Amino acid sequence: MSDFSSIRPYQDAEVKPTLERLVNTPELLHTLIGFRYPKLSGWRKSLLAIGLKAYLRWRLRNIDSVYQFQLEVESYMDHMIKTTTSELSSSGLDSLDLSQPHLFISNHRDIALDPAFVSYILHHSGQDTVQIAIGDNLLTKPWVSDLMRLNRSFIVKRSASTKRDKLKNSRELSAYIHHAITELGDHIWIAQREGRAKDGVDLTNAALISMLSLNRSKSQPFSEFIKQLNIVPVSISYEFDPCDEAKANELVAQQQGHYAKQEHEDILSISRGITGHKGRVHLHFSPALQGEYHSAKQVAEELDRAIIGNYQLMPTNWVAAGRSEQASLNPRDVDHAQRYFEAKASTLSAEAVEQLLAMYANPVLYKDKVF
């Protein structure tokens, strides 16, 4: 059997050499400084990088396992949650038998934070963190790949150009996910489709379910295989999306036919997502899928019903949809949402404002369509 070395997360024996590589990566040091001091440049930034390198080497000196590294990351998560959210809440987790590994499939709004919040809530419920599926398109720099794989991410190879290579990569990914769940006993997180739902429409790509089932033996019924995966739909709701302006501008550019993705653009999105204000954030964990499903399309439709149906609508969603009166909202929340959109309208084109409002309104509109 493959050891999955090209895609699996790093193991404990790889932690020390990986941390040493990271500490000696000037670009990473400058990126970390940029998060904290975005206006700093020149010799001051270089001088601070020298100090940061020494501090990180001291801070990380005793870390020699993935678990210890994640405990270190937790302190930064705590700070991020305290400073960029007004509330982080969850529901539904107590209905799951977490003694069994699960495949958490969620909607996808933020590159890094969607799985990070799932892991954080599981950890604070006494569970191991999830292994995270991450596309190789995000790993444009070696230090990003190192950081992600240290943090229990496994790689989804999306850069193949031929159908043969794409199928080979999909089979390897399917086999790895099945291996991680059934043999390693690990929880897994994967998004319901490739890429973020920039328009706020959280629909599952049935091809994801087809990929998962590539590992199914011909003698095993499809519904039995799906039950074995313990698929849990997760609805992740953000009151404010720190990347909403960038997403709206991208959607407008795509409509006009002149959008060109910039180099390392996803890394900037990760930075914005982490540092930007998110307001209230809520995660709902639906019961594991245990029905009699006979096709990938049926599973995808059930995921949509659960994810969209249990999405916690925020004041920004109701106001953008023009339906705040029917939601029994606090008037202060309505006023806050209205002022938020007015501020956005002062800096965006009319076309981008239209896209931004649709992005926030679609969770309301699609909940009507699903139910």
Side-chain angles (χ1 to χ4, degrees):
M1 176 180 286
S2 169
D3 63 358
F4 304 107
S5 58
S6 67
I7 64 171
R8 62 164 175 76
Y10 287 149
Q11 298 172 349
D12 289 347
E14 298 164 293
V15 171
K16 278 287 188 186
T18 303
L19 289 176
E20 185 64 21
R21 280 199 306 275
L22 289 170
V23 168
N24 284 290
T25 302
E27 187 176 17
L28 170 60
L29 298 175
H30 284 131
T31 299
L32 292 174
I33 292 169
F35 285 168
R36 188 68 180 271
Y37 306 105
K39 296 182 180 180
L40 198 65
S41 62
W43 66 267
R44 293 181 179 84
K45 194 169 187 178
S46 297
L47 185 63
L48 191 56
I50 296 172
L52 177 61
K53 179 178 178 177
Y55 171 75
L56 287 176
R57 178 165 278 125
W58 172 83
R59 182 74 183 252
L60 303 173
R61 68 194 186 283
N62 294 322
I63 294 178
D64 54 16
S65 70
V66 172
Y67 177 71
Q68 288 175 319
F69 177 76
Q70 289 205 304
L71 287 180
E72 184 69 22
V73 171
E74 182 187 15
S75 65
Y76 293 96
M77 277 288 294
D78 288 336
H79 177 75
M80 181 274 295
I81 291 168
K82 182 179 179 180
T83 56
T84 71
T85 73
S86 54
E87 180 184 24
L88 173 63
S89 58
S90 67
S91 55
L93 203 60
D94 54 358
S95 68
L96 300 176
D97 177 11
L98 293 175
S99 66
Q100 301 296 316
H102 289 77
L103 173 57
F104 296 99
I105 299 181
S106 81
N107 58 327
H108 194 25
R109 299 302 179 82
D110 188 276
I111 294 172
L113 291 183
D114 293 346
F117 281 132
V118 172
S119 271
Y120 187 87
I121 287 171
L122 284 172
H123 173 67
H124 282 266
S125 298
Q127 290 292 305
D128 286 338
T129 55
V130 293
Q131 286 200 37
I132 300 165
I134 182 168
D136 61 0
N137 57 298
L138 301 176
L139 309 180
T140 55
K141 297 175 182 287
W143 61 265
V144 176
S145 178
D146 277 344
L147 275 176
M148 293 298 187
R149 295 181 76 180
L150 266 183
N151 202 35
R152 303 198 76 202
S153 294
F154 59 93
I155 297 172
V156 179
K157 296 177 181 177
R158 292 175 176 158
S159 54
S161 57
T162 67
K163 289 184 178 180
R164 181 178 180 179
D165 285 341
K166 288 179 181 179
L167 179 58
K168 178 184 175 182
N169 292 341
S170 293
R171 288 189 182 280
E172 182 183 33
L173 178 62
S174 175
Y176 179 74
I177 291 174
H178 190 262
H179 166 75
I181 292 173
T182 62
E183 297 185 40
L184 300 181
D186 283 350
H187 297 307
I188 299 289
W189 175 89
I190 194 167
Q192 66 182 162
R193 70 186 195 198
E194 180 180 337
R196 293 170 293 164
K198 298 182 179 72
D199 57 3
V201 178
D202 300 316
L203 296 177
T204 306
N205 187 348
L208 168 68
I209 311 304
S210 297
M211 178 277 293
L212 293 171
S213 64
L214 287 173
N215 189 62
R216 177 176 65 95
S217 67
K218 293 181 179 180
S219 61
Q220 185 179 27
F222 180 79
S223 60
E224 182 182 307
F225 180 81
I226 294 300
K227 290 177 184 178
Q228 186 182 40
L229 293 177
N230 280 325
I231 296 174
V232 172
V234 183
S235 311
I236 306 178
S237 314
Y238 295 87
E239 185 174 11
F240 304 105
D241 183 342
C243 297
D244 54 12
E245 288 188 22
K247 290 178 181 178
N249 284 325
E250 178 181 333
L251 291 170
V252 171
Q254 287 176 343
Q255 286 185 342
Q256 296 173 349
H258 55 70
Y259 173 70
K261 192 169 187 175
Q262 301 298 309
E263 187 179 15
H264 312 310
E265 182 178 310
D266 289 324
I267 295 175
L268 179 59
S269 294
I270 290 173
S271 172
R272 284 179 180 150
I274 292 171
T275 60
H277 181 62
K278 292 164 276 292
R280 284 167 281 196
V281 180
H282 184 79
L283 281 73
H284 180 81
F285 297 83
S286 295
L289 303 189
Q290 292 296 310
E292 295 298 321
Y293 306 104
H294 304 290
S295 69
K297 183 173 182 290
Q298 286 183 337
V299 175
E301 289 172 347
E302 184 58 32
L303 281 164
D304 291 345
R305 279 190 286 271
I307 291 172
I308 295 172
N310 290 298
Y311 187 97
Q312 180 171 295
L313 297 172
M314 302 288 184
T316 43
N317 301 123
W318 289 109
V319 169
R323 291 165 56 176
S324 57
E325 292 183 1
Q326 72 182 69
S328 301
L329 299 175
N330 185 313
R332 286 178 298 180
D333 288 336
V334 174
D335 181 63
H336 188 197
Q338 289 173 336
R339 285 188 285 109
Y340 179 80
F341 291 129
E342 288 168 2
K344 295 292 181 181
S346 68
T347 61
L348 295 171
S349 68
E351 295 83 2
V353 170
E354 183 179 349
Q355 291 293 339
L356 185 137
L357 289 173
M359 178 194 314
Y360 282 94
N362 276 331
V364 178
L365 305 180
Y366 273 79
K367 192 174 284 243
D368 290 343
K369 293 181 180 180
V370 170
F371 293 95

